[in-house]
Amino acid sequence: MSEQEPASRIRVLDPATINQIAAGEVIERPASVVKELVENAIDAGAGSVTIELTSIRDSIATIRVTDDGCGMSDADARLAFVPHATSKISTISDLHRIHTLGFRGEALATIAAVSRVTLVTKSVGSGLVAGTRIVVEGGRVRETSGTGCPDGTSILVEDLFFNTPARKKFQKSKNTELAHIHDICEGICLSHPEIAFRLVHNGSEHLITDSTGRPLDAIARLYGSTVAAELVPVELILPFIEVRGFVSRPSLSRKDRARMLVSVNQRYITSAGINDAIKAGYGTLLPKDRFPVAFISLIIDTGLVDVNVHPTKKQIRLSQEKEIFEAVRDAVREALFSHDLIPSIEVPGPVERLATDPPHAAPSGYPVSDNRQPGMVAESTHAGTITTDQRLRQTELPLTPRPTAVISSLLPRMEVIGEFGGIYILARTPDGELLIIDQHAAHERILYEQVSGPSGAVRPSQELISPVVLHRTPKEAAIIRDLLPALAKEGFVLEEFGGDSFLVRAVPVILGRVEESPVIDEIISDLVSEEASQAVSNRERIVRIVACRGAIKAGTVCSREQCQRIVDQLRMTQNPFTCPHGRPTLIRFTRHELDARFLRV
Ligand code: ADP
Ligand code: MG
């Protein structure tokens, strides 16, 4: 080896380089800059915050956040860019009672390390005309001067990632970055209705809220008044947690969780656990693949929340997670059951009048197995009436009484006017409203509540006159074998019948006199074909399938008396608004809505 080895390969990095590396953690993209700057403005007690973006070609060029908060003195402004300079904590013990959004003292230093930042600030009540202007580029202070400016702070960020080309390359299209910024701003606006926000891009306003202090106003501003009108308020106060916010009636749901916004101690966070708890509050009000719109704000003892687990604080760690999740679930459930959940038909405005979309179509993705054709008219046959009667009688088991607290609030008395197409029951309420009830969905709900009583009890079963033989593939047979104990509890008596065959000797009483082997075959097929999932227990799956198969089919024409029995029974259920899959059982037209449709108002 002729070349001389360098004395040392290890170098201590200079602070500017350290900050560039750290920047990667906190400042991933333009949206992270917006988040940090807006959070600082909130911490500074701002009453209004303006976020101005410009873009050229396909990327975000500049970000400016202006607030009317407390501002900074000249000395503080100089310190603000020093790593780990913060006015918010001084010792580790402060961390446990921190109520501000920032506290690491990293954001400004890291943003300035990877861009050119111009800070203009003046502390409130200083009485001075001039504030401070500081320009920092790539972590180095380029300019410090006095400047005339209003109280508060304005921070302009340009040339983001100019000195970290790798990160710059990772930036997505302008629209993607704008969408991220939008998401961040939404969460912040919702958790701070007391602050007026304005998000402007290339001079045009994207998002704007007033500082009314009422969360519902911010929601209506961001998502429209139609969404706001479908929400019911949530409020549960326990010693260790306060749950507040709004959740949608089941008639407003989505395929994804994108409108489930949760803040903890006014910080917008992502938590699969809390989302699940919100969904759990709906029970069977929503299908398993539909998600509510929910704006939930949790105030939790700061001792139970560790926000310091994720650099951007988007994820948090909770102590007593189970109790917190239960509180959220109970709060949502209570909110839903103490409000009128019957979806109303929206009165169309003059422009949208006669819109063709059914306002409450079955959620897409839900397999509608019945052959439902609105307007279809089926002739009632004598034989049909008798079977329906038998079925209604067999299934008219007493329902477990509901807690009295909710007994009066769920459904009004309903007087049947008639039926339509063998699918819908028309009824009137004492208040003169018209209700349209989905006969199958309603009966399914009734049966579901009858069969899903206490899980320990064994369901009554009825022996089949001639047992039915099921032949299955080895894989299906294995699934059935696993399900045998659960099936037995629900009233199915199945025996091994050699190879991969089974003999069905008895079925739950609730299924009525099913003698046709195809029906039994179908029930078992439903059970083996449906993906077993963590969320729904075997028992729950069996109960839902039994309720669905046992219920009167759409297309079965019922007499008025039969219809009346169905609606009376529906009133007795704990959750009369949806079938076990979450589809609505009934919708309502008020007189006002009908009058509006006929242009009488
Ligand atoms: P942190 O927010 O974690 O304290 P930052 O780097 O975000 O750290 O900010 C450093 C300090 O600069 C803050 O603690 C605060 O004192 C001051 N500061 C930053 N932004 C503002 C602002 N918009 N108004 C007033 N003070 C600010
Ligand atoms: Mg900060």
Side-chain angles (χ1 to χ4, degrees):
M1 298 281 134
S2 59
E3 265 180 84
Q4 208 192 324
E5 249 185 18
S8 167
R9 287 162 177 262
I10 299 178
R11 257 184 304 273
V12 175
L13 297 172
D14 65 89
T17 312
I18 294 175
N19 271 328
Q20 271 187 26
I21 296 168
E25 266 189 68
V26 188
I27 306 300
E28 275 180 308
R29 56 188 344 149
S32 351
V33 173
V34 171
K35 176 171 186 289
E36 294 295 337
L37 296 184
V38 173
E39 289 189 348
N40 279 347
I42 296 170
D43 285 346
S48 76
V49 179
T50 303
I51 304 130
E52 290 161 288
L53 311 169
T54 63
S55 61
I56 24 174
R57 285 181 297 277
D58 200 28
S59 63
I60 307 284
T62 67
I63 300 168
R64 187 204 306 269
V65 175
T66 307
D67 67 62
D68 61 354
C70 64
M72 285 176 258
S73 68
D74 193 62
D76 280 347
R78 288 160 199 265
L79 268 177
F81 291 101
V82 176
H84 307 295
T86 176
S87 55
K88 297 164 195 172
I89 58 168
S90 51
T91 68
I92 195 73
S93 62
D94 291 345
L95 262 185
H96 300 300
R97 38 174 198 76
I98 186 92
H99 286 283
T100 51
L101 296 167
F103 53 77
R104 293 173 167 217
E106 282 177 328
L108 282 185
T110 44
I111 293 169
V114 292
S115 67
R116 184 166 74 243
V117 174
T118 308
L119 163 75
V120 175
T121 187
K122 190 172 76 179
S123 81
V124 96
S126 65
L128 301 170
V129 180
T132 306
R133 180 172 185 271
I134 298 180
V135 180
V136 186
E137 194 180 286
R140 294 188 175 81
V141 177
R142 294 278 181 229
E143 208 186 307
T144 311
S145 57
T147 179
C149 63
D151 289 350
T153 304
S154 171
I155 296 182
L156 170 69
V157 176
E158 297 167 288
D159 289 335
L160 186 60
F161 303 131
F162 78 96
N163 54 354
T164 51
R167 183 148 300 264
K168 193 175 178 106
K169 266 227 299 273
F170 271 111
Q171 298 312 300
K172 299 280 178 347
S173 73
K174 175 190 76 188
N175 286 337
T176 308
E177 297 304 332
L178 280 174
H180 280 283
I181 293 175
H182 221 275
D183 279 355
I184 296 272
C185 289
E186 268 178 35
I188 294 177
C189 290
L190 290 170
S191 39
H192 292 277
E194 77 285 5
I195 300 176
F197 290 96
R198 223 159 61 86
L199 172 64
V200 179
H201 171 229
N202 285 351
S204 66
E205 235 153 38
H206 270 227
L207 193 150
I208 179 161
T209 62
D210 319 303
S211 50
T212 65
R214 283 190 299 267
L216 205 53
D217 292 337
I219 292 170
R221 272 293 205 171
L222 298 181
Y223 308 104
S225 47
T226 329
V227 167
E230 285 293 322
L231 301 176
V232 297
V234 175
E235 187 178 76
L236 180 70
I237 306 204
L238 297 175
F240 66 103
I241 187 173
E242 294 176 13
V243 186
R244 289 199 182 75
F246 297 88
V247 293
S248 58
R249 293 190 173 87
S251 44
L252 176 69
S253 67
R254 295 172 55 95
K255 271 210 185 85
D256 55 34
R257 297 170 182 80
R259 283 279 179 284
M260 298 176 78
L261 288 95
V262 176
S263 68
V264 171
N265 299 344
Q266 294 214 309
R267 187 194 305 278
Y268 170 52
I269 56 129
T270 335
S271 159
I274 295 176
N275 280 353
D276 287 349
I278 296 172
K279 175 90 204 276
Y282 280 75
T284 57
L285 284 174
L286 283 177
K288 65 173 189 281
D289 56 352
R290 300 290 298 184
F291 300 93
V293 172
F295 306 98
I296 294 290
S297 150
L298 305 179
I299 303 293
I300 308 179
D301 270 1
T302 42
L304 299 180
V305 186
D306 185 356
V307 288
N308 211 6
V309 292
H310 190 253
T312 64
K313 312 183 195 84
K314 212 162 171 224
Q315 268 146 29
I316 52 171
R317 194 183 297 135
L318 298 168
S319 322
Q320 295 186 26
E321 218 174 35
K322 188 165 163 279
E323 289 78 2
I324 290 173
F325 292 168
E326 281 171 3
V328 172
R329 182 200 60 201
D330 294 348
V332 170
R333 182 184 293 161
E334 217 167 87
L336 290 169
F337 280 99
S338 55
H339 284 86
D340 178 358
L341 297 181
I342 309 174
S344 287
I345 292 298
E346 211 179 290
V347 184
V351 183
E352 329 151 271
R353 181 163 288 134
L354 294 185
T356 44
D357 275 1
H360 297 288
S364 52
Y366 174 74
V368 180
S369 54
D370 314 316
N371 176 25
R372 34 189 79 212
Q373 293 165 7
M376 176 178 82
V377 179
E379 280 299 311
S380 169
T381 62
H382 183 59
T385 312
I386 292 171
T387 7
T388 305
D389 241 16
Q390 273 176 351
R391 175 150 296 186
L392 283 178
R393 205 167 332 109
Q394 272 162 342
T395 58
E396 228 161 56
L397 303 176
L399 288 160
T400 43
R402 275 181 291 115
T404 42
V406 288
I407 213 152
S408 56
S409 58
L410 298 184
L411 279 190
R413 268 191 315 107
M414 293 169 280
E415 185 198 333
V416 170
I417 306 167
E419 65 79 38
F420 179 68
I423 298 178
Y424 300 112
I425 299 171
L426 310 183
R428 78 162 70 86
T429 71
D431 291 342
E433 295 175 332
L434 172 66
L435 296 181
I436 302 183
I437 298 124
D438 180 319
Q439 167 188 304
H440 171 76
H443 198 215
E444 197 176 351
R445 162 57 61 186
I446 296 165
L447 297 193
Y448 173 80
E449 292 204 6
Q450 285 169 344
V451 266
S452 63
S455 60
V458 175
R459 309 286 144 205
S461 57
Q462 55 175 340
E463 244 173 77
L464 299 174
I465 294 169
S466 44
V468 172
V469 182
L470 302 175
H471 302 287
R472 294 285 128 163
T473 65
K475 186 177 156 217
E476 288 169 345
I479 300 175
I480 296 177
R481 275 185 203 106
D482 282 347
L483 287 173
L484 282 178
L487 282 167
K489 275 201 175 140
E490 300 311 318
F492 288 95
V493 180
L494 262 74
E495 288 169 11
E496 297 263 9
F497 198 55
D500 293 316
S501 301
F502 297 86
L503 198 62
V504 185
R505 287 199 176 278
V507 296
V509 169
I510 211 98
L511 286 172
R513 291 237 163 267
V514 276
E515 294 303 345
E516 321 93 89
S517 59
V519 176
I520 293 168
D521 205 83
E522 275 170 32
I523 293 176
I524 303 296
S525 300
D526 282 353
L527 276 171
V528 293
S529 67
E530 231 189 82
E531 260 318 279
S533 84
Q534 293 264 302
V536 178
S537 67
N538 279 338
R539 166 157 199 266
E540 178 67 19
R541 283 198 307 133
I542 296 172
V543 167
R544 287 188 192 176
I545 289 168
V546 167
C548 181
R549 291 289 174 176
I552 292 175
K553 294 276 165 292
T556 310
V557 177
C558 295
S559 68
R560 181 182 303 199
E561 196 219 334
Q562 290 167 339
C563 292
Q564 189 65 52
R565 268 150 69 189
I566 294 175
V567 299
D568 289 346
Q569 287 265 301
L570 182 64
R571 262 194 94 211
M572 302 289 292
T573 58
Q574 303 211 19
N575 168 13
F577 305 108
T578 59
C579 80
H581 304 97
R583 282 188 295 126
T585 50
L586 74 173
I587 57 172
R588 159 178 63 190
F589 287 89
T590 62
R591 254 306 285 280
H592 175 78
E593 284 153 354
L594 287 173
D595 289 348
R597 295 230 159 195
F598 285 103
L599 308 183
R600 283 175 168 277
V601 285

